[in-house]
Amino acid sequence: MALLLAGSGAFAQRGAGTLSAPQSTPVSFVTMAQAVEQQDYTVEQLRRFIDPQGQVTTVREQVKVDANGTEVPPCLVTFLGVEGELPGSPLHTKWEQTYGRYGQLFHRHGSFGVRSLGKVQQNYGFYEIGTVVRAGRSAVRAVVFPVSTDKSIWIVDVDAATKVPLYWAEFDLQFRLLAEVEVVVFVDSVVMPAMASPVPTVQHASFAAADSWLGSPAGLIEPQAALADYAIGQIETRQDPLSGQQRLVVTFTDGVDQFLVSQVPATPDVFSGLLPKVRGGAATGHTIARFQDASMRVLLFWEDGVSFQVAGRGSLTRLDEVAQHVYRQALSTN
Amino acid sequence: MSSSPHRHSQHFACRPMLREALAGDGPLPPDVQAHVDGCAFCAARVQARTRLLPLLRRRPEAADVPPQQVLDGVYERVVERAERGPVGRLLDEHLPVPAERAADAWPDALLDSPVAMRVAGTLPTPPREWARVRESILGQLADQAAPATLEPVPAVRRARVWIGLVGSAVAATVVLAVLAREPHEPPVITFQDIARLPVDGAIPAVDFAVVRYGATR
């Protein structure tokens, strides 16, 4: 664990800055889940993207969360800059455009959070390992350890007062650092501007509602998790701000981890002629393109005018099984 | 052989004489002969020609070693060199040793492989359906054997039997085909690994890739 802490690059301000944690309630999954539903906050944080070669890009962002009693409160993510880059540089512009198009998703799918209390208690353990100071606030450092071996391990610094995570580092089972976010400024309130989110996203209570919202295009299916430790988290429809393309996204969660099943209707089969067909198979052309590395696993296939994407963290090899299950569902439906 | 300018100029005059002396086959012209007699350089070359010419008319033979052995030796050296080279090392490492017995050459694991299971499996034939076919045929035969008030002409009777048999067989085949399809095998789905995701535009953008890396990889 000492190696984890040393390698994480954490700015744990020990020594003169070490404070005892004035906790009114202990930090636990329960209190963290409550904070998601009840705690407004505004943070300025550094998000570190680590590529497979170990190159790190640090982006400064502002996140505003307006809790509304649900597990998925509205949020606004604003790009502030790239560390070490001047505004107007090509890298700065590229990231600014990326945040303009995808910013909200960094907080929704790229940050640590308790997404389902029941599931997180089944699938993870919470182990306190000390107290630190983050963004000038007393925080509890903990390790969130998965029950199964195909998920990430998290080191989290949780604000002792509000139970909001102020720092998290994600490691794989080989203790490679996959992602890191560090809050540098924390305010326990929010003033949410009345503006449209960069990626127009609509939450739906059910698949049927989402399907109806999209106009019931042909080929969409209601995906099933096929993994016992995951359950449906959200059902959303999203519109790409650049292309205007609509997609239906079902997010499955085990309490912390997530994987997404995206369906984009009315798309041509870009895989025909590219991927080898199954020789001698009764159903030729049923091929799933798979990209995998330490950080993510993406499975792509196409059926009946719909482009399917199953995407999750790299260690979750069971996603192959999910993709096969969804593909068979699509084949049997069409 | 010296190529000093002095030597070169000294024998410059010999060249036309020597050319004529070496080209000819019979006695030399008097002036050429006079030159050869007086020039040690040319005399030596004319003598060498006289000795070598008969030898060059006949193809040299390896008198001590028969030709086939020479060739075999060459082949052996080629093989030995190849064995010591990269091809030989590759074959040594990867060429499997053939089994001594036929039974050893067929590993049992192959018989339990998924391929073997599929090949060995047969279409299940529900016995109930065959029993129905049999009863139907026997029943028709029994009907034909029972006395009737008006017995049909024998040819017509035989035709009815055959029609009944064929009809029963067709019905049984259809039922078997329907039942055989019911344990529906799932479609075969294969995975194709790709080195990088297709660029945004070729396929819809993969949001999760952006979340992890900030851009589609």
Side-chain angles (χ1 to χ4, degrees), chain A residues 40-121:
Chain A
D40 297 339
Y41 61 90
T42 303
V43 294
E44 186 173 312
Q45 59 192 23
L46 300 175
R47 183 179 297 274
R48 296 187 175 91
F49 296 89
I50 303 159
D51 71 11
Q53 287 74 41
Q55 300 284 335
V56 179
T57 304
T58 304
V59 178
R60 184 176 291 262
E61 63 186 32
Q62 183 192 64
V63 178
K64 295 186 175 183
V65 175
D66 186 9
N68 60 357
T70 67
E71 290 178 338
V72 189
C75 66
L76 179 65
V77 179
T78 307
F79 172 77
L80 297 180
V82 179
E83 297 295 287
E85 289 289 326
L86 293 173
S89 71
L91 192 65
H92 184 279
T93 304
K94 174 198 153 192
W95 279 98
E96 189 173 26
Q97 290 170 348
T98 301
Y99 267 74
R101 191 175 173 191
Y102 298 103
Q104 202 183 60
L105 301 184
F106 291 127
H107 180 72
R108 299 274 297 283
H109 302 302
S111 296
F112 176 85
V114 175
R115 297 180 167 90
S116 164
L117 180 58
K119 282 294 182 186
V120 75
Q121 288 173 325

Side-chain angles (χ1 to χ4, degrees), chain A residues 170 247 288 290 293 309, chain B residues 190 192-194 205 212-213:
Chain A
E170 181 188 350
R247 66 174 64 197
I288 297 175
R290 174 173 59 195
D293 65 13
Q309 300 173 2
Chain B
T190 58
Q192 177 72 33
D193 287 308
I194 54 178
R212 296 303 266 173
Y213 290 116

